[in-house]
Amino acid sequence: MSNPADGPPATGLPETGLPATSPEETGTDKDTVDEALNTVEHQISLFWRRARSVSHQLSRQVHPDMEPAAYGLLSVIRREGPIRLTDLALNIGVGKPSVSRQIAFLESIGLVFKEADPLDGRAQSIRLTEKGEEKMHQVQDARRQDFRERLGEWPVGELQTLAEYMAKLNSLFELDGFAKDPSAGDTAK
């Protein structure tokens, strides 16, 4: 892919109807498709940088020394419930040593604990402590309020369309070995 800074972003918003799947269906040529893909790449890159910044801020709200990666782990643990380290690493698409280091940090500050896995006594599951649950509840409530403030004026249909397109985009990354989003069935079509 090219560098998103190579070209200017498009200024118009796409129509909310489902897009055609090929240039023949839309009557567009290769240059138009390339221009649209460059715009998509630019917008995703911009969104990704901003999302990383938000993750950094959220992690600091939980604990001043927390890295954004650890916040992501807490989110998965909260959503999935008790989870093995291997499954946690698979869920977020990183190596077990990286996850292990982050879990050790989260354990040291009292946000998670390990317990014997009820299905296999040799293995351990990781779960949030009461303190971890409380912190995540506070931060995620604040994040949802921020979304309400930023997107609350959008028509519901546009919010649903945005969610559908984001789910469709996220499902493409499952082909790269990332874990399937368990909520994808709720929004993807």
Side-chain angles (χ1 to χ4, degrees):
M1 287 188 162
S2 65
N3 183 342
D6 289 344
T11 57
L13 293 174
E15 293 182 23
T16 58
L18 292 176
T21 58
S22 71
E24 295 79 26
E25 292 176 20
T26 61
T28 59
D29 60 15
K30 183 182 180 314
D31 290 340
T32 305
V33 171
D34 286 346
E35 183 180 324
L37 288 172
N38 284 339
T39 301
V40 167
E41 180 184 13
H42 172 80
Q43 291 300 322
I44 288 173
S45 294
L46 181 62
F47 184 78
W48 184 72
R49 287 191 307 270
R50 289 178 177 165
R52 283 185 50 167
S53 178
V54 168
S55 288
H56 185 78
Q57 293 168 10
L58 290 172
S59 64
R60 296 297 189 243
Q61 289 176 20
V62 175
H63 189 277
D65 297 327
M66 183 182 291
E67 295 178 20
Y71 175 80
L73 294 176
L74 288 173
S75 295
V76 171
I77 296 167
R78 185 170 195 227
R79 182 184 68 236
E80 299 292 321
I83 187 170
R84 290 182 182 186
L85 188 70
T86 305
D87 295 333
L88 187 56
L90 178 64
N91 193 293
I92 62 168
V94 300
K96 192 175 171 182
S98 296
V99 173
S100 184
R101 182 178 60 82
Q102 294 294 339
I103 291 299
F105 169 76
L106 293 171
E107 205 172 14
S108 75
I109 61 172
L111 299 179
V112 300
F113 68 96
K114 295 176 186 171
E115 63 184 1
D117 187 316
L119 301 176
D120 180 355
R122 299 169 296 167
Q124 292 184 321
S125 290
I126 303 160
R127 70 168 53 227
L128 294 180
T129 62
E130 190 175 313
K131 176 183 173 183
E133 183 66 44
E134 182 181 316
K135 283 286 197 181
M136 290 302 290
H137 180 72
Q138 291 169 355
V139 171
Q140 289 181 338
D141 279 356
R143 186 179 68 172
R144 276 190 291 280
Q145 182 58 35
D146 186 51
F147 271 104
R148 279 187 200 95
E149 290 170 7
R150 292 174 191 263
L151 300 174
E153 298 295 317
W154 285 29
V156 171
E158 287 185 17
L159 290 171
Q160 291 169 334
T161 299
L162 175 62
E164 289 170 5
Y165 280 123
M166 291 182 78
K168 188 174 182 178
L169 180 63
N170 281 318
S171 71
L172 293 174
F173 289 93
E174 292 169 13
L175 301 174
D176 294 335
F178 287 94
K180 183 174 175 65
D181 179 7
S183 65
D186 297 338
T187 58
K189 298 214 181 211

